[in-house]
Amino acid sequence: MSTKEKVLEKKKVSTKEAKTHEIILYNDDYNTFDHVIETLIIACDHTPEQAEQCSLLVHYKGKCSVKTGTYKDLEPRCGKLLEEGLSAEIV
């Protein structure tokens, strides 16, 4: 084989994709819009606009997916929502 020839080897590479989950926030009769918005900004890194839109969806539709990601990332975020008195779960 000359120095100009290159041998390319095919390898089968298996990647393990992290399964995506989401936090679902549910409506309740206790928390104010301001509290929900502030909590979403802190716990889920939402912009004020995102948080407001999610709070309106929760209010009118009963629930809303507020964050997607790996379970490892979502678990502390959901915990913060629950600590603040919101109703949420990871699915």
Side-chain angles (χ1 to χ4, degrees):
M1 184 180 336
S2 73
T3 56
K4 290 184 179 181
E5 290 181 38
K6 292 183 180 181
V7 176
L8 299 176
E9 183 178 321
K10 287 186 180 181
K11 285 188 176 182
K12 184 176 182 179
V13 178
S14 64
T15 57
K16 186 175 182 180
E17 289 185 25
K19 186 173 179 182
T20 302
H21 296 274
E22 56 187 351
I23 297 175
I24 304 295
L25 181 64
Y26 295 96
N27 191 29
D28 63 44
D29 294 328
Y30 311 106
N31 292 291
T32 65
F33 278 98
D34 287 340
H35 179 64
V36 174
I37 291 167
E38 290 172 14
T39 305
L40 287 172
I41 291 169
I42 293 167
C44 296
D45 296 326
H46 281 200
T47 64
E49 294 80 13
Q50 286 175 305
E52 183 179 4
Q53 288 175 350
C54 285
S55 69
L56 289 169
L57 285 169
V58 168
H59 180 72
Y60 289 110
K61 300 286 187 180
K63 64 181 180 178
C64 176
S65 173
V66 295
K67 190 76 173 176
T68 59
T70 63
Y71 191 88
K72 184 178 179 180
D73 176 53
L74 298 181
E75 189 174 28
R77 295 176 187 275
C78 189
K80 181 68 175 165
L81 295 173
L82 296 173
E83 286 173 15
E84 292 297 324
L86 303 182
S87 180
E89 69 174 340
I90 299 172
V91 295

